[in-house]
Amino acid sequence: SQTIHQWPATLVQPVGSPLSLECTVEGTSNPNLYWYRQAAGRGLQLLFYSVGIGQISSEVPQNLSASRPQDRQFILSSKKLLLSDSGFYLCARDRRGGYTFGSGTRLTVV
Amino acid sequence: AQSVTQLGSHVSVSEGALVLLRCNYSSSVPPYLFWYVQYPNQGLQLLLKYTTGATLVKGINGFEAEFKKSETSFHLTKPSAHMSDAAEYFCAVSRGDSSYKLIFGSGTRLLVRP
């Protein structure tokens, strides 16, 4: 199985509050993992990717951070949310020939 | 650097009509190309992919796409649209080597009229 679990499915948070989105992966060990954000009316923007425990690469400067404390766990965080952080966040793992995506978390910052 | 351009943020077709979603890519190395479909509030599902070999690839739900290197295109087609095809479609490109980072287009929303 190559299942990816994301939670929560939806989240409404006030501006300035912290954020923690979790992604866990079943299946093979040492997967490459990715966080994407999809803003309203826009495509998918790669935020972070990780090739192993403790290894995080950031694609764009922003108010978010990522961590990989365990092989199959990938966490997206923020200390203080901004309105512009609203969007649909997707976790993915890669396999030769494509990605497998989680079901996503819709974040609304109010 | 790689990039993907999807022409048309919205495409509307009648049920039973041909579906054509356009995708052009830019890549300095032989690309891997993908089409994904996204239904509302869900993750993305792989429709089809081109890696090497045959340039016409067939995917799920009757979709197919043709890799045309000379035109740097990978357009998605389906002969006859069904109401259930209404969704958002994303074209994506990755390097055909050990780096599997996907670069996505901005997406095309397909509307199917009864």
Side-chain angles (χ1 to χ4, degrees):
Chain A
S1 171
Q2 303 287 344
T3 303
I4 297 179
H5 299 280
Q6 279 190 250
W7 65 90
T10 60
L11 190 60
V12 180
Q13 291 285 98
V15 169
S17 63
L19 172 73
S20 180
L21 302 182
E22 189 161 344
C23 169
T24 59
V25 180
E26 296 179 3
T28 60
S29 61
N30 199 30
N32 292 341
L33 298 175
Y34 304 81
W35 277 111
Y36 282 86
R37 176 172 61 200
Q38 186 177 18
R42 300 177 63 179
L44 286 89
Q45 180 185 33
L46 178 61
L47 302 177
F48 301 96
Y49 70 95
S50 171
V51 299
I53 296 174
Q55 301 179 64
I56 307 295
S57 296
S58 175
E59 288 293 299
V60 293
Q62 58 207 319
N63 184 42
L64 302 168
S65 62
S67 62
R68 188 162 174 183
Q70 299 181 41
D71 182 43
R72 298 176 185 178
Q73 186 182 31
F74 200 25
I75 298 172
L76 183 70
S77 304
S78 174
K79 292 183 179 179
K80 289 185 178 181
L81 284 169
L82 306 172
L83 287 174
S84 57
D85 292 324
S86 294
F88 191 51
Y89 289 82
L90 288 160
C91 180
R93 64 155 296 168
D94 68 32
R95 310 168 56 190
R96 179 172 288 277
Y99 279 12
T100 299
F101 284 85
S103 55
T105 295
R106 182 159 301 284
L107 171 66
T108 303
V109 182
V110 296
Chain B
Q2 295 178 301
S3 65
V4 176
T5 301
Q6 290 183 241
L7 295 177
S9 59
H10 292 78
V11 170
S12 180
V13 300
S14 298
E15 190 173 20
L18 170 71
V19 176
L20 171 61
L21 304 183
R22 300 179 185 274
C23 172
N24 288 89
Y25 70 91
S26 172
S27 179
S28 58
V29 299
Y32 285 3
L33 294 159
F34 307 83
W35 275 101
Y36 284 84
V37 61
Q38 184 182 32
Y39 298 100
N41 292 313
Q42 295 186 25
L44 277 71
Q45 179 183 8
L46 180 66
L47 271 180
L48 50 79
K49 63 181 184 287
Y50 167 80
T51 53
T52 59
T55 56
L56 180 63
V57 293
K58 296 183 184 298
I60 62 173
N61 302 338
F63 284 94
E64 63 182 35
E66 186 171 10
F67 170 57
K68 292 187 176 180
K69 184 178 179 180
S70 61
E71 299 178 7
T72 61
S73 69
F74 190 58
H75 301 330
L76 181 70
T77 60
K78 181 174 181 178
S80 177
H82 191 272
M83 295 298 291
S84 61
D85 295 326
E88 189 152 20
Y89 293 80
F90 291 93
C91 182
V93 62
S94 74
R95 294 169 58 99
D97 57 16
S98 60
S99 169
Y100 296 127
K101 283 194 294 181
L102 279 183
I103 306 299
F104 285 88
S106 55
T108 298
R109 184 168 297 280
L110 176 65
L111 307 172
V112 182
R113 305 185 302 272

